Amino acid sequence: MKMITRLSLANMKYHKSKNILIGIAVFLTALLLFLVPTIGKNMIDGQFAVINEVYPRWHALYRGVDEETAAKLAAHHAFGMTGLRSDAGYMVHGEAEIALVFLDEPGLELYNITLASGKLPEQENEIVVSEGILRELGQSGETGDMISVPYQIYRNGGLDYREEREFVISGFLADGEEASETRAYTALVSKAFLEEEIPKDQRGYRFLFQLRDLEAATTDRLEEQILSVAEQFGLGEQNISVNNDYLSANYVDPAFAAGIVIIMLIIVAAGIITIYSIYYVSMGDRVQEYGRLKAIGATRRQIKQLVLREGFAVAGIAIPLGLLVGTVLSRMLFVGFIIGGSEDNLMLELLKEGRFASWYWWIYVLTAVVALGTVYISLRKPMRLAAKISEIEAIRYRNESAGKKKHRKGVRNVTISSLTGIYLAGDKKKSLMTICSMAATGIFLIVTATVLSCTTPRESADSSMYGQYVIMPLIEYNNKEHPEREWSSIQQNNPMTEELRKEIGQIDGVEYVISFSRINSFVEELGGSEGILGVPVECREELLKEITKGSVTYEELCTGNKVIADTDLLYWYPEIELGDRFHITLEDGDETKELEVEIAAFGDYSFGFTNYNYLLMAKEAVDSLGSHNLTYSYHIFAKEDYNEDVAGKLKELVTASELLQFATWQEEYEMWKSALGLTNGCCYAFLGVLGTICIMNMINTMINSVHVRKKEIGVLQAIGMSDRQLTKMLQLEGLFYTMGTLALSIGVGSLLSYPVFLLAKKNGMFGIRNYHYPTEAVVVLCVVLLVIQMVLAWLLGKSVKKEALIERIRFSE
């Protein structure tokens, strides 16, 4: 066997050009096998490190737990650390939201909160605040100082009237950046304060806990245990909140493991198809060499070993090189993804501190094993081909199936096109193999690009915002201090007046304003409240266009006894069907009215359009159902997506009333841009490497085509073929592979992309709503393949001319 190894190494050097090409394909496959799981794991571990740094550490919490049940739960054998939280109320101060919360010491730890100074409150007049809270209150103080706090307490199912009392500062919390930006803070009060202010029968706790016996735990098993204990204590699923982010960050998530396996299988499949095709095309003309070895005594096993060891020798160089380059690239790409030009990034800081790993030994091992397995599978067919035929047949072999002599079909008029056709038709299997193997990668590229093209920040922002700006009433329920914010009160003195609408329309830069109405209702059949949205006639076409089941006219929706149900309502009430009739109690100010409506159709609408109202009528019908101003939102369409002057003037109008709130499309866009940028970057990097592997197949085929036909090309040039005609012939061959690949990739990929889009839309992936064909990706694919095949044909033509004509005619393998 030492001789076989030495011969394999000698063959690898002798067929250097072919093995370099094969090595590049193996290198790229290994690189992709390493980069995808490494960067994916980097991102997940980085996110999990951030989660562990700032997120709560409880596994789950149970809401609405009384003191007796909390004590029994704390003694349950399934729980380790447990804590209690209770929301007492809010401080009253302008636009800032300052929650008054009771947390015991274990609860504070489970929420991953550390006091900046001082201690938790114990007496009823002690409180923990932050510098931001004091700033909002317009006061100052240190630990032990007295401050005056206006507040409202949760009583009888809502916020009670305003009270004010003096508190002693027992400690300070640090202000987070997000809290300062949103002006949302939390102050901690004592249990004594909670018991003094809220009657026992109205006090409810959130029971926080971590589970025991976590060795080898999976997120699925933990969630099953959380639900099981809740059932034992009669707690419904609506009272359970699972900390999925923390569980995924610290325990094995089967979905993540399955995702890694699927991605690896895709890469392996692409690698096997490409590398096998390269070996199949490149090694066919070498069977004659193996035949000579067989004729002088080599066994079938030795021939197989010769092929295998030569392939493994190439892989032995290519795979470590892929791992080395991948090690450098993975760090660069990962850092590039997370910093985005900003040094003030928590994930980057944690990476620099070594709080999570950059590389993982098991990915190195996995990549090497899978890449070697890919090469081995790719070599099985060439190994069998070299070993199964007889010595005489092997010596005669000329890249043809054993025992089948093939004849090329002649033509009367020899042209460049006919010569190209004769060669391609002479080995249809090889031509088909090249096209199919390249197309397999191209199909996957088109399907993936389709999903990415449907997840643009603009589309997602358009889905969550209807118009460039939206003005709505500031609605609150069960707040005794602000009864004017109840919708029943707002509609009696609604700031959304026609005068305001006209004033908005007169702002320079605003094109038009669309007004929606809304009325509250209690639906007997659903056992709950649901808003009925009044859609104006300006949106008639969009309202009817999005109907997915059933049919109704806008005129029928104006009658007030027919509605369209948003398909999102089916998530909560899957039993609803077309034709169902709802008995509805309408809230008309302080009065109620009875109404019966029929579900005439189902429609699929964006959240920006419905503002989370799942029953839709014509605006004319909704306005007629109430005796007050039911205007619910102004959707403002402007000449630009965002204009600072327009936004400023709109904000001035909003701040003139305490009952209005304002949102912009630009805010939604920036949020989605941040969320989707990283995902798209990772996916396109993946597709780029995968596409490079695909292109290597065509390069190999064309190089091999010229290599095995040196003598034939030499004869053709000897009888008059010019260098220009030779280049044209090679370009036509490359064009055949390119067009065949593009036809299959674009054709099959386009057919598959729409069902994949529907599946992604159904599952709510990335907020996808609208189908967009990946035109840019298709154009790039076409241009890249066409340019490469033209450049390759030119380079091959030049390489052929470097060798003397007489040497090419004498060429023999």
Side-chain angles (χ1 to χ4, degrees):
M1 282 298 177
K2 289 183 179 179
M3 181 59 71
I4 297 298
T5 301
R6 290 172 59 187
L7 187 57
S8 298
L9 294 174
N11 280 343
M12 185 182 72
K13 295 176 182 178
Y14 180 75
H15 300 287
K16 183 170 60 176
S17 60
K18 294 180 182 179
N19 282 319
I20 286 175
L21 200 62
I22 293 169
I24 292 174
V26 177
F27 161 78
L28 290 173
T29 301
L31 180 65
L32 193 57
L33 284 169
F34 180 82
L35 282 178
V36 171
T38 298
I39 295 178
K41 190 72 167 63
N42 282 162
M43 288 307 308
I44 291 170
D45 283 359
Q47 290 169 356
F48 289 169
V50 172
I51 286 170
N52 285 328
E53 186 74 13
V54 299
Y55 273 46
R57 295 173 181 170
W58 42 265
H59 292 165
L61 64 79
Y62 298 144
R63 297 188 190 90
V65 177
D66 57 36
E67 292 183 9
E68 289 75 13
T69 305
K72 293 177 182 177
L73 283 167
H76 197 282
H77 64 85
F79 300 138
M81 180 182 288
T82 65
L84 289 178
R85 166 185 167 172
S86 183
D87 294 351
Y90 279 90
M91 288 191 191
V92 181
H93 185 77
E95 296 181 2
E97 291 188 7
I98 307 172
L100 294 176
V101 175
F102 160 68
L103 270 177
D104 60 10
E105 194 165 340
L108 193 71
E109 185 176 344
L110 287 171
Y111 264 102
N112 204 8
I113 298 173
T114 304
L115 294 182
S117 63
K119 63 182 181 65
L120 283 175
E122 297 176 359
Q123 305 300 318
E124 69 275 2
N125 68 333
E126 291 184 330
I127 192 170
V128 171
V129 293
S130 69
E131 293 293 345
I133 293 175
L134 294 179
R135 188 167 52 250
E136 292 288 350
L137 295 175
Q139 301 180 49
S140 61
E142 301 292 338
T143 302
D145 291 346
M146 299 284 291
I147 59 171
S148 178
V149 176
Y151 61 88
Q152 291 176 266
I153 295 296
Y154 282 117
R155 296 190 188 99
N156 301 314
L159 285 171
D160 212 332
Y161 294 106
R162 171 186 169 130
E163 303 174 51
E164 189 166 340
R165 70 184 294 176
E166 299 291 319
F167 281 89
V168 176
I169 300 174
S170 67
F172 277 88
L173 293 169
D175 286 316
E177 184 179 339
E178 183 178 352
S180 300
E181 290 178 356
T182 60
R183 299 177 68 186
Y185 303 92
T186 298
L188 301 180
V189 296
S190 65
K191 189 173 184 180
F193 173 83
L194 189 74
E195 292 173 344
E196 178 185 300
E197 292 285 348
I198 303 177
K200 183 176 180 180
D201 61 347
Q202 295 183 28
R203 287 200 296 268
Y205 293 92
R206 299 184 188 186
F207 181 78
L208 322 166
F209 60 87
Q210 288 185 341
L211 294 166
R212 293 184 188 272
D213 303 326
L214 300 175
E215 188 174 348
T218 65
T219 54
D220 287 351
R221 188 175 71 79
L222 293 177
E223 288 183 27
E224 288 174 7
Q225 193 173 1
I226 291 165
L227 291 172
S228 175
V229 175
E231 289 177 3
Q232 295 174 30
F233 287 85
L235 300 171
E237 288 191 29
Q238 70 275 11
N239 293 322
I240 303 171
S241 178
V242 179
N243 192 353
N244 291 305
D245 290 329
Y246 183 79
L247 293 183
S248 298
N250 293 278
Y251 306 102
V252 177
D253 187 350
F256 168 71
I260 288 290
V261 170
I262 290 172
I263 292 174
M264 295 291 282
L265 287 176
I266 291 171
I267 298 169
V268 167
I272 288 173
I273 291 171
T274 302
I275 297 172
Y276 165 70
S277 178
I278 291 175
Y279 271 112
Y280 175 81
V281 171
S282 298
M283 296 187 67
D285 60 312
R286 293 177 55 190
V287 173
Q288 195 175 68
E289 173 187 330
Y290 302 132
R292 295 192 186 106
L293 291 172
K294 204 169 184 182
I296 62 174
T299 64
R300 290 167 60 91
R301 183 173 181 275
Q302 288 173 325
I303 295 296
K304 288 183 178 180
Q305 285 294 312
L306 184 64
V307 177
L308 180 64
R309 294 186 188 191
E310 183 179 343
F312 273 16
V314 174
I317 298 172
I319 293 174
L321 188 60
L323 294 175
L324 180 62
V325 174
T327 300
V328 177
L329 275 181
S330 63
R331 178 69 178 231
M332 292 171 57
L333 291 172
F334 177 56
V335 171
F337 285 147
I338 64 173
I339 64 175
S342 173
E343 293 297 328
D344 187 21
N345 187 292
L346 179 57
M347 190 184 296
L348 183 62
E349 291 175 10
L350 295 175
L351 177 65
K352 290 178 178 178
E353 293 173 7
R355 301 282 288 277
F356 63 96
S358 298
W359 302 285
Y360 314 86
W361 66 267
W362 59 269
I363 293 183
Y364 285 91
V365 175
L366 182 64
T367 299
V369 171
V370 173
L372 278 174
T374 302
V375 173
Y376 174 74
I377 294 171
S378 304
L379 285 169
R380 287 178 61 85
K381 179 66 178 290
M383 287 163 61
R384 288 198 304 269
L385 178 64
K388 74 177 181 179
I389 59 176
S390 67
E391 291 82 344
I392 299 301
E393 288 174 330
I395 292 173
R396 292 175 175 174
Y397 185 85
R398 279 291 180 183
N399 205 18
E400 298 169 359
S401 298
K404 295 182 181 179
K405 189 176 180 181
K406 297 186 178 181
H407 299 277
R408 294 185 180 180
K409 185 177 180 181
V411 293
R412 288 183 177 276
N413 297 316
V414 178
T415 62
I416 299 301
S417 300
S418 64
L419 285 173
T420 303
I422 290 172
Y423 172 71
L424 294 172
D427 200 339
K428 296 176 183 176
K429 187 175 181 180
K430 184 180 73 174
S431 301
L432 187 62
M433 174 68 69
T434 300
I435 290 174
C436 289
S437 61
M438 291 175 64
T441 306
I443 291 168
F444 179 72
L445 191 150
I446 295 295
V447 171
T448 306
T450 298
V451 175
L452 295 178
S453 70
C454 298
T455 58
T456 63
R458 176 170 292 277
E459 287 287 336
S460 299
D462 287 344
S463 177
S464 53
M465 279 282 292
Y466 187 59
Q468 279 72 51
Y469 309 93
V470 175
I471 295 177
M472 299 176 65
L474 179 61
I475 301 172
E476 284 187 41
Y477 294 100
N478 300 317
N479 186 343
K480 289 184 180 179
E481 188 67 26
H482 293 286
E484 74 280 3
R485 295 179 184 174
E486 295 275 350
W487 177 238
S488 58
S489 298
I490 287 177
Q491 57 185 279
Q492 298 178 60
N493 187 27
N494 199 334
M496 306 280 285
T497 61
E498 187 62 27
E499 290 75 17
L500 176 63
R501 179 178 176 175
K502 289 179 180 177
E503 197 170 349
I504 293 170
Q506 291 172 359
I507 294 175
D508 187 29
V510 171
E511 293 188 326
Y512 55 92
V513 182
I514 296 179
S515 172
F516 284 73
S517 295
R518 179 183 185 271
I519 190 167
N520 274 1
S521 67
F522 180 85
V523 184
E524 182 180 325
E525 286 73 13
L526 303 183
S529 297
E530 184 59 55
I532 301 178
L533 186 71
V535 181
V537 68
E538 295 96 325
C539 302
R540 169 179 181 168
E541 183 178 346
E542 185 169 353
L543 176 69
L544 302 180
K545 181 181 67 176
E546 299 299 331
I547 289 177
T548 58
K549 188 178 181 182
S551 63
V552 67
T553 65
Y554 189 80
E555 288 69 26
E556 289 175 313
L557 294 173
C558 288
T559 62
N561 54 26
K562 289 191 177 184
V563 297
I564 298 174
D566 193 298
T567 51
D568 286 331
L569 190 64
L570 294 174
Y571 177 82
W572 306 102
Y573 306 99
E575 69 278 4
I576 298 175
E577 295 180 355
L578 282 177
D580 284 355
R581 304 192 73 82
F582 285 166
H583 295 83
I584 293 175
T585 302
L586 299 173
E587 299 178 11
D588 180 22
D590 296 327
E591 300 177 355
T592 60
K593 296 179 180 179
E594 301 298 321
L595 180 70
E596 183 178 270
V597 298
E598 175 190 347
I599 296 181
F602 287 102
D604 185 14
Y605 303 98
S606 67
F607 292 134
F609 186 84
T610 64
N611 282 311
Y612 298 91
N613 296 282
Y614 298 140
L615 297 178
L616 292 82
M617 280 185 184
K619 185 177 188 300
E620 177 184 329
V622 169
D623 288 340
S624 68
L625 294 175
S627 54
H628 304 289
N629 182 358
L630 299 177
T631 302
Y632 180 64
S633 59
Y634 287 147
H635 295 263
I636 303 161
F637 292 80
K639 296 177 181 178
E640 301 175 80
D641 289 333
Y642 182 78
N643 182 283
E644 199 168 322
D645 291 338
V646 173
K649 291 176 182 177
L650 289 171
K651 200 162 188 177
E652 285 179 12
L653 293 177
V654 169
T655 53
S657 170
E658 294 182 354
L659 296 177
L660 292 177
Q661 56 183 330
F662 174 63
T664 71
W665 179 91
Q666 186 67 23
E667 293 169 349
E668 291 293 321
Y669 175 78
E670 293 298 333
M671 185 271 291
W672 282 108
K673 184 179 179 181
S674 174
L676 295 176
L678 183 61
T679 301
N680 287 353
C682 292
C683 289
Y684 280 120
F686 171 77
L687 292 176
V689 179
L690 201 65
T692 304
I693 295 175
C694 162
I695 291 167
M696 290 304 301
N697 197 359
M698 181 177 71
I699 294 173
N700 171 77
T701 300
M702 293 187 66
I703 290 175
N704 185 73
S705 169
V706 172
H707 177 73
V708 299
R709 294 160 60 205
K710 274 188 178 181
K711 185 173 182 179
E712 179 182 319
I713 292 172
V715 171
L716 288 171
Q717 287 199 298
I719 61 174
M721 175 183 277
S722 66
D723 292 337
R724 184 179 178 184
Q725 288 173 320
L726 171 61
T727 301
K728 184 179 178 182
M729 183 179 72
L730 295 175
Q731 286 177 339
L732 287 175
E733 288 180 19
L735 188 62
F736 171 79
Y737 294 124
T738 299
M739 298 310 294
T741 299
L742 291 176
L744 274 178
S745 299
I746 297 173
V748 178
S750 299
L751 291 175
L752 290 177
S753 64
Y754 192 72
V756 171
F757 154 75
L758 292 177
L759 182 64
K761 180 181 178 181
K762 181 179 178 181
N763 293 323
M765 184 185 296
F766 304 123
I768 289 176
R769 287 194 55 82
N770 301 313
Y771 176 76
H772 291 282
Y773 188 74
T775 305
E776 292 181 1
V778 171
V779 170
V780 169
L781 179 63
C782 294
V783 171
V784 168
L785 285 181
L786 286 169
V787 169
I788 287 177
Q789 67 91 12
M790 291 177 67
V791 172
L792 183 60
W794 177 74
L795 291 175
L796 287 174
K798 289 193 69 174
S799 69
V800 169
K801 289 186 288 183
K802 288 181 181 178
E803 195 173 352
L805 184 59
I806 192 66
E807 293 299 326
R808 279 181 272 152
I809 295 175
R810 288 176 178 173
F811 172 77
S812 179
E813 185 66 28

